[in-house]
Amino acid sequence: MANRIFKSSYVLQKAAAPRSISYSIRRQSIIASKLVFTQYGEPRNVLRKESEELNGVNDKQVLLKMLAAPINPADMNTIQGTYAVKPKLPAVGGNEGVGEIVSVGNNVKNFAVGDRAVPLVNALGTWRSHLIVSEENILKVPKELGLVEAATITVNPTTAFRMLKDFVNLKENDVVIQNGANSTCGQYAIQLCKAWGIKSVNIVRNRQTINDLKLYLKELGADHVLTEEELRQTDLFRSKKLPKPKLALNCVGGKSATELMRQLETGGVIVTYGGMSREPVTVATSALIFKDIRIVGYWMTRWSNENAKSPARFNMYDELIDLMRNGKLRAPVFEFVRFDNFKNALENTLTAKGMAGKKYILQFE
Amino acid sequence: MANRIFKSSYVLQKAAAPRSISYSIRRQSIIASKLVFTQYGEPRNVLRKESEELNGVNDKQVLLKMLAAPINPADMNTIQGTYAVKPKLPAVGGNEGVGEIVSVGNNVKNFAVGDRAVPLVNALGTWRSHLIVSEENILKVPKELGLVEAATITVNPTTAFRMLKDFVNLKENDVVIQNGANSTCGQYAIQLCKAWGIKSVNIVRNRQTINDLKLYLKELGADHVLTEEELRQTDLFRSKKLPKPKLALNCVGGKSATELMRQLETGGVIVTYGGMSREPVTVATSALIFKDIRIVGYWMTRWSNENAKSPARFNMYDELIDLMRNGKLRAPVFEFVRFDNFKNALENTLTAKGMAGKKYILQFE
């Protein structure tokens, strides 16, 4: 079952591969469309498709014809006005995506018409047919990269990458434990661990299709997949089959986070990047003092702002793109959605069910 | 009131200053006494005073005639068997103290009869009249250092020192907030902040004698002293009278810790070194992700084990001793107790009341 969904997604991706149209609008105008919200609220209520006349690019800008842009949960929260980033209104939805360059300014150095690029700046608004952006704010991605991998590279794989790199110095065969392992970020963490020789122990909620989910995550590279209940009774660490985890990734909170901490090695770090249970993270005084457990959070937006021009950022993208080209890092289950059907996709994202949160990817023609 | 207690303690200290008796037992035996426990349990029930014949020191050892040793809460927990350190039984109580060297081995290089020294090794058992210890495991302290300052230098001032140094790079006029500010460690933190030009905001529980306590802590160098209730309503930080704290020290847990975190600057660190409320530390997911609050613990015993021979450790003691000699770091309120009255002191430590936990210091002659 897992397999079937996964494969069908890939078929979809191929079917939807964009036509490569090169045209220049440097000195002509085009009518673009975009999803705008003028007030915070439920996305399906407040988002409107609007037209906009674009009159060419300035010296250092490029015009991106957007090919694909995902709907991420944080995009929904941004429109609801409940996210930490509150763009000035009116604003365009969407925070990542990939486009093809159809026009370049006279002084653009590093990009040419036909290149593919992803915006590197937060909250530009990617749910639009065309985006004018300065060349310093985009990253070139190879055309042979999967369209979905490219459209979704700046949020989830980067989050997994940095959480695995920046808090604990992990060596081969060290162990990482994570809850919400079937989340988009969790799936990237599984694959990065596999690529780097790190053992991953992956916790998911029990469900009717648990065996399919376990199979799916193991195919991605998970070493162990346990339900929350199985984790409480496991002897994986007690029996020393595995060393205790040095790092825990938490996107659930509450009891699930407590259980991760209980398994951590002395001096271990738990990194929180989500709170799906809506429960806080609670830690016993003794775990802090005597087990030296460290509790931190991670927010990709902050890291990107603080490292906008740092080599670490571009090295990370190089490595992610290499892994994707070599088939070691695949996008999660997804479904393409035509621009005009955006309301259905928003609705489905909010009521997401199923094995592993399916990602809806907007296409603009 | 605060002042009176403080001064009377100093009078006590002077009255109890030890006679300086130099005698050598290198080749003779003496009868020492010590407080031994052979099983874990309530200290007043399981501790027995026992005699022991000491037959001189070996080449690299010294014989310390103990002058003073405090009763710390962790000593009580160790005897109760509820502490993270569980010494092999039978064991001698006590974990720090100061002694005078009355005999040195033939190959002892750095100590002479008459020197004062404190043991640097954990769980040696300091509640005894005489202690034989290797010279590499003691630190020389100047004779002009207050006896109580010397006897209590290895646990509380060091904890405050490291927590202020090791987690955040504090600059002059940066702000530290702490709860349980009247704890022994809290009082040292106040004085170290004052000595280093750091502003301290000190939270204590409300009580009948709150004004005396505030006065006492301000005399020690506290910039601000607030009750838990006053903290919830303060506009100190909102009004920008003070920058937000970069560091919080927590020995309470529960709601009190939550309130400290609420005041922290983005990227701030809360260091837990105690849990007097017996409530865990709870943190909202959003504080971890978007405010980048980091939650860590500190345990002096671990640091000392990991840094047993490090220059950082000896530099710290040099600085603490200098501050003590210059009157910038005073011992908390204390009371000397004759060795034979140890049960009263244990009882009083367990039922500690009053303004700022009074420290009971055992003396051995």
Side-chain angles (χ1 to χ4, degrees), chain B residues 59-236:
Chain B
D59 271 9
K60 295 189 168 178
Q61 289 178 325
V62 306
L63 175 67
L64 274 182
K65 181 183 177 304
M66 294 302 292
L67 302 173
I71 301 175
N72 287 317
D75 301 333
M76 305 298 276
N77 299 146
T78 302
I79 297 164
Q80 288 162 337
T82 59
Y83 198 61
V85 173
K86 291 193 174 49
K88 270 193 194 171
L89 302 183
V92 177
N95 196 32
E96 63 173 350
V98 62
E100 181 181 323
I101 293 176
V102 292
S103 174
V104 297
N106 289 325
N107 282 322
V108 166
K109 308 279 186 224
N110 300 310
F111 294 87
V113 168
D115 284 346
R116 283 197 189 168
V118 299
L120 284 184
V121 179
N122 196 49
L124 277 183
T126 54
W127 296 349
R128 55 170 106 214
S129 66
H130 297 79
L131 173 66
I132 290 176
V133 59
S134 168
E135 76 162 325
E136 65 175 9
N137 291 330
I138 56 175
L139 176 81
K140 198 181 294 185
V141 294
K143 282 183 205 169
E144 64 268 35
L145 203 62
L147 193 62
V148 175
E149 278 79 358
T152 59
I153 198 171
T154 60
V155 174
N156 284 297
T158 51
T159 300
F161 187 105
R162 296 254 65 95
M163 292 195 298
L164 291 169
K165 287 282 190 193
D166 291 352
F167 297 95
V168 173
N169 185 12
L170 294 171
K171 292 183 290 291
E172 220 166 304
N173 291 320
D174 279 345
V175 177
V176 171
I177 191 169
Q178 65 168 343
N179 58 22
N182 53 328
S183 71
T184 307
C185 186
Q187 293 183 48
Y188 281 112
I190 288 170
Q191 296 176 84
L192 288 173
C193 283
K194 180 74 176 178
W196 294 336
I198 296 162
K199 302 289 177 205
S200 69
V201 177
N202 299 280
I203 314 305
V204 294
R205 276 177 300 178
N206 199 5
R207 62 198 71 203
Q208 281 204 313
T209 56
I210 185 67
N211 289 334
D212 289 341
L213 177 55
K214 287 187 174 185
L215 189 67
Y216 170 70
L217 296 179
K218 284 184 176 170
E219 275 188 5
L220 278 184
D223 293 288
H224 300 271
V225 185
L226 305 172
T227 64
E228 299 276 356
E229 294 73 24
E230 287 167 345
L231 176 62
R232 280 195 278 280
Q233 293 161 16
T234 187
D235 72 342
L236 259 183

Side-chain angles (χ1 to χ4, degrees), chain B residues 27-46:
Chain B
R27 283 181 190 81
Q28 70 191 70
S29 73
I30 59 161
I31 303 302
S33 53
K34 56 188 180 179
L35 289 186
V36 178
F37 57 109
T38 54
Q39 57 178 313
Y40 296 116
E42 277 314 302
R44 68 180 178 283
N45 297 333
V46 298

Side-chain angles (χ1 to χ4, degrees), chain A residues 126-167:
Chain A
T126 55
W127 297 349
R128 54 169 108 215
S129 65
H130 297 79
L131 173 65
I132 290 175
V133 58
S134 170
E135 75 162 327
E136 64 174 11
N137 291 330
I138 57 175
L139 176 80
K140 198 180 298 187
V141 294
K143 282 182 204 168
E144 63 268 34
L145 204 61
L147 194 63
V148 175
E149 278 79 358
T152 59
I153 197 172
T154 60
V155 174
N156 284 297
T158 51
T159 301
F161 186 106
R162 295 255 65 94
M163 290 196 298
L164 291 169
K165 287 282 191 195
D166 291 353
F167 296 96

Side-chain angles (χ1 to χ4, degrees), chain A residues 83-84 252-253 266 272-275 279-285 288-299 302, chain B residues 83-84 250 252-253 266 272-275 279-285 288-299 302:
Chain A
Y83 197 61
V252 178
T266 297
T272 292
Y273 68 101
E279 297 288 335
V281 174
T282 298
V283 57
T285 299
L288 290 169
I289 300 178
F290 301 123
K291 249 188 98 176
D292 197 19
I293 300 301
R294 296 155 208 223
I295 296 156
V296 301
Y298 185 75
W299 189 27
R302 183 177 49 243
Chain B
Y83 198 61
N250 167 46
V252 178
T266 297
T272 291
Y273 68 101
E279 296 288 335
V281 174
T282 297
V283 56
T285 298
L288 290 169
I289 300 177
F290 302 121
K291 250 188 99 176
D292 197 20
I293 300 301
R294 296 155 208 221
I295 297 158
V296 300
Y298 184 75
W299 189 27
R302 183 178 47 243

